[in-house]
């Protein structure tokens, strides 16, 4: 009888969590996957149940004797699903609606960073596009800025723009303002001073007061090779399960992570979940760019590929407040992992390429891990999301992991298929 039930769309991150938890350790039968989306890999597993929504998931959970619901998506937290499942008598691994501001209000999150001395990129909040444009005109000659929506937007072409010219910055402000108006959402946005350095992602397991930092990840956000082109939600990532430079990690913890945890405690915000922090390594030291109240894709699967400890064990330790006794184990024979995401031709700017049939999934080698986003297969799999499929592989080196991934990329065939060919090309985790 499963104690835990993941409830979600069945996307790549959720697939990775379930499959890794089923594969690692001796507790595979403790986890049921309850999904309302489409994913051919999860659907063929007998531990998966498809449902129409929250009410049906509650019925399934009760019928199967589940006591804890696991959720990994901010959309679920914003919709109040944590509170709904709690009201139905379940324990929930998720983020309460009161703590989602860390991601869905950049204005409040940046103010939180300032209040608690979290090293971060300077930023200015605006509630009026005209005022934001005036600020850009006045300040662009000496500084460059990133344009970010304050609220959470799933459409990356609006949520974050990294302009190279003043004209591009003003256009980004106008485009974002128009999109927010169409949504009927507040016009709040943040102009964040553009920092220079290497960008990484940090996943922190937090059980309320204690925390554990997982290996850092180099993620690739820009669409084109050489880190050019429009921003994406994530098109590749690399990780290594070896010890980092102790001085660097101590600096990151003292400047970013510890002040964040202290701030949550000081403000009485209960946070027992995974906190994702976007970090830039600048000449002055690491700074926080943003918080996410959810694991990243493809970043989190890149970590799970290296973990000998199951995701389920991590969830249980966090939820029970026992992180201090959790023995996190990592691959030592093949300590490097590389993830490459295949996209449609129009991603992230248009819907071009959606609806194309996908071929070759059955031709992949056993040493790569295919992870699907929303993907109906009736019977042929269809590209139904801009990010279609992520391939993850381990290796003794980045080069070995890259070779395994890219050897399989061309076996996946659909019209307009795109991926970056330089993921892991640079030795980024020095």
């Amino acid at each position: 009888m499963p104690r835990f039930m993941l409830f979600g769309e069945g996307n790549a991150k959720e697939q990775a969590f379930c499959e890794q938890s089923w594969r690692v350790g001796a507790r595979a039968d403790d986890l049921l996957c309850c999904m309302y989306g489409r994913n051919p890999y999860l659907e063929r597993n007998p531990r998966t149940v498809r449902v129409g929504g929250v009410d049906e998931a509650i019925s399934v959970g009760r019928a199967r004797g589940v006591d804890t619901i696991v959720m990994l998506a901010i959309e679920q937290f914003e919709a109040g699903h944590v509170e709904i499942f709690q009201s139905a008598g379940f324990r929930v691994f998720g983020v309460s609606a009161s703590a989602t501001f860390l991601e869905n209000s950049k204005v409040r999150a940046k103010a939180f960073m300032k209040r608690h001395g979290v090293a971060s990129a300077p930023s200015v909040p605006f509630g009026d596009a005209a005022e934001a444009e005036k600020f850009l005109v006045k300040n662009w000659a000496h500084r460059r800025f990133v344009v970010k929506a304050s609220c959470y937007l799933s459409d990356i072409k609006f949520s974050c723009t990294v302009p190279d010219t003043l004209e591009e910055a003003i256009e980004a402000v106008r485009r974002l303002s128009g999109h927010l108006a169409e949504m009927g959402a507040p016009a709040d946005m943040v102009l964040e001073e553009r920092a220079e350095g290497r960008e990484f992602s940090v996943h922190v397991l937090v059980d309320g007061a204690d925390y554990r930092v997982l290996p850092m990840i180099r993620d690739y956000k820009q669409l084109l090779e050489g880190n050019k082109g429009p921003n994406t939600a994530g098109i590749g990532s690399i990780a290594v399960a070896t010890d980092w430079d102790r001085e660097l990690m101590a600096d990151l913890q003292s400047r970013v992570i510890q002040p964040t945890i202290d701030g949550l405690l000081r403000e009485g915000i209960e946070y027992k979940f995974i906190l994702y922090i976007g970090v830039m390594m600048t000449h002055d030291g690491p700074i926080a760019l943003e918080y996410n109240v959810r694991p990243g894709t493809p970043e989190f699967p890149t970590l799970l590929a290296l973990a000998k400890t199951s995701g389920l064990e991590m969830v249980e330790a966090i939820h029970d407040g026992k992180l201090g006794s959790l023995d996190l184990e990592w691959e030592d024979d093949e300590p490097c992992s590389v993830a490459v995401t295949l996209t449609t031709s129009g991603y992230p700017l248009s819907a071009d390429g959606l609806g194309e049939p996908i071929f070759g999934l059955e031709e992949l080698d056993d040493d790569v891990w295919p992870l699907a986003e929303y993907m109906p297969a009736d019977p042929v799999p269809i590209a139904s999301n801009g990010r279609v499929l992520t391939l993850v592989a381990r290796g003794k080196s980045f080069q070995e992991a890259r070779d395994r991934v890219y050897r399989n990329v061309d076996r996946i065939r659909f019209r307009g298929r795109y991926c970056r060919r330089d993921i892991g090309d640079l030795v980024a985790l020095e």
Side-chain angles (χ1 to χ4, degrees):
M1 183 176 293
R3 285 189 53 215
F4 296 85
M5 183 174 80
L6 180 131
F7 173 65
E9 182 186 35
N11 57 31
K13 170 174 52 187
E14 293 160 345
Q15 179 193 337
F17 174 82
C18 289
E19 290 185 342
Q20 193 263 4
S21 295
W22 290 330
R23 184 176 67 246
V24 174
R27 300 180 53 191
D29 291 335
D30 269 359
L31 177 65
L32 178 72
C33 175
C34 189
M35 58 180 273
Y36 51 84
R38 300 298 306 275
N39 182 316
Y41 296 104
L42 286 174
E43 287 174 43
R44 70 191 184 195
N45 192 296
R47 299 184 184 92
T48 297
V49 177
R50 287 189 61 209
V51 296
V54 176
D55 290 342
E56 192 175 349
I58 289 173
S59 298
V60 169
R62 286 173 173 165
R64 298 293 188 95
V66 168
D67 64 52
T68 303
I69 306 298
V70 178
M71 290 183 283
L72 302 177
I74 185 174
E75 293 90 345
Q76 296 171 310
F77 308 149
E78 290 183 319
H81 290 174
V82 169
E83 290 76 14
I84 291 171
F85 278 106
Q86 287 174 336
S87 297
F90 295 96
R91 301 196 315 161
V92 179
F93 180 76
V95 177
S96 66
S98 63
T100 58
F101 80 90
L102 291 168
E103 180 171 358
N104 68 13
S105 175
K106 294 288 188 296
V107 170
R108 290 180 62 192
K110 289 290 186 179
F112 174 91
M113 292 179 186
K114 290 178 182 177
R115 282 198 302 276
H116 299 290
V118 178
S120 60
S123 63
V124 182
F126 290 93
D128 179 84
E131 292 301 314
E133 288 184 34
K134 290 178 184 177
F135 178 88
L136 287 170
V137 170
K138 182 178 180 180
N139 291 278
W140 190 267
H142 307 290
R143 294 181 287 170
R144 293 188 297 169
F145 296 89
V146 178
V147 181
K148 294 184 175 182
S150 179
C151 65
Y152 168 73
L153 296 176
S154 59
D155 194 333
I156 190 66
K157 69 176 176 284
F158 295 109
S159 65
C160 178
T161 304
V162 185
D164 290 319
T165 67
L166 174 60
E167 292 73 23
E168 290 177 358
I170 290 174
E171 173 58 27
V173 167
R174 292 175 179 174
R175 188 170 61 246
L176 172 58
S177 177
H179 182 66
L180 293 173
E182 288 178 5
M183 294 173 56
D188 296 337
M189 64 184 69
V190 169
L191 298 182
E192 179 182 273
E193 192 167 326
R194 190 166 168 179
E196 298 296 335
R198 286 183 172 175
E199 189 170 348
F200 293 87
S201 300
V202 182
H203 288 73
V204 186
L205 309 182
V206 186
D207 71 0
D210 199 4
Y211 67 89
R212 301 284 290 276
V213 183
L214 302 186
M216 290 178 65
I217 302 164
R218 171 69 188 272
D219 53 343
Y220 295 75
K221 296 295 189 187
Q222 289 181 274
L223 181 68
L224 304 179
E225 293 173 13
N227 291 326
K228 298 177 182 178
N231 243 25
T232 71
I235 200 167
S237 55
I238 59 177
V240 60
T242 56
D243 289 337
W244 275 69
D245 179 278
R246 291 184 179 181
E247 184 177 346
L248 173 65
M249 288 305 298
D251 208 15
L252 175 63
Q253 289 187 255
S254 65
R255 289 169 57 89
V256 174
I257 299 172
Q258 191 64 56
T260 297
I261 303 302
D262 291 343
L264 292 171
L265 291 171
R266 202 169 292 131
E267 297 195 10
I269 299 169
E270 184 181 51
Y271 196 94
K272 300 174 74 172
F273 198 67
I274 303 165
L275 180 64
Y276 171 116
I277 309 177
V279 174
M280 182 75 79
M281 298 299 182
T282 72
H283 290 301
D284 297 324
I287 61 172
L289 298 178
E290 63 180 7
Y291 299 126
N292 285 356
V293 293
R294 57 193 164 97
T297 303
E299 299 94 334
F300 193 51
T302 315
L303 285 176
L304 289 177
L306 297 174
K308 290 184 176 180
T309 304
S310 76
L312 187 59
E313 290 175 280
M314 297 180 200
V315 165
E316 190 171 33
I318 293 169
H319 202 272
D320 292 344
K322 297 180 179 179
L323 267 181
S325 59
L326 177 66
D327 184 17
L328 280 172
E329 294 186 83
W330 302 94
E331 288 286 343
D332 45 19
D333 291 337
E334 293 181 330
C336 300
S337 62
V338 172
V340 175
T341 299
L342 284 65
T343 75
T344 58
S345 57
Y347 181 79
L349 303 177
S350 75
D352 292 351
L354 294 179
E356 292 291 340
I358 304 167
F359 303 97
L361 296 181
E362 70 285 352
E363 301 172 22
L364 301 179
D365 293 334
D366 291 338
D367 57 7
V368 297
W369 190 13
L371 301 169
E373 294 297 341
Y374 187 89
M375 186 186 291
D378 300 314
V380 178
I382 299 296
S384 303
N385 189 289
R387 293 192 295 176
V388 178
L389 187 78
T390 294
L391 298 183
V392 186
R394 290 199 310 262
K396 291 181 171 59
S397 64
F398 284 128
Q399 188 60 52
E400 184 175 55
R402 289 186 75 245
D403 288 346
R404 288 174 174 172
V405 168
Y406 284 113
R407 185 167 61 240
N408 285 271
V409 160
D410 290 328
R411 297 175 185 175
I412 305 297
R413 303 180 298 280
F414 57 92
R415 188 177 304 168
R417 184 208 67 198
Y418 173 77
C419 73
R420 279 182 59 164
R421 296 279 177 169
D422 63 344
I423 306 301
D425 214 1
L426 302 176
V427 180
L429 302 182
E430 296 173 337

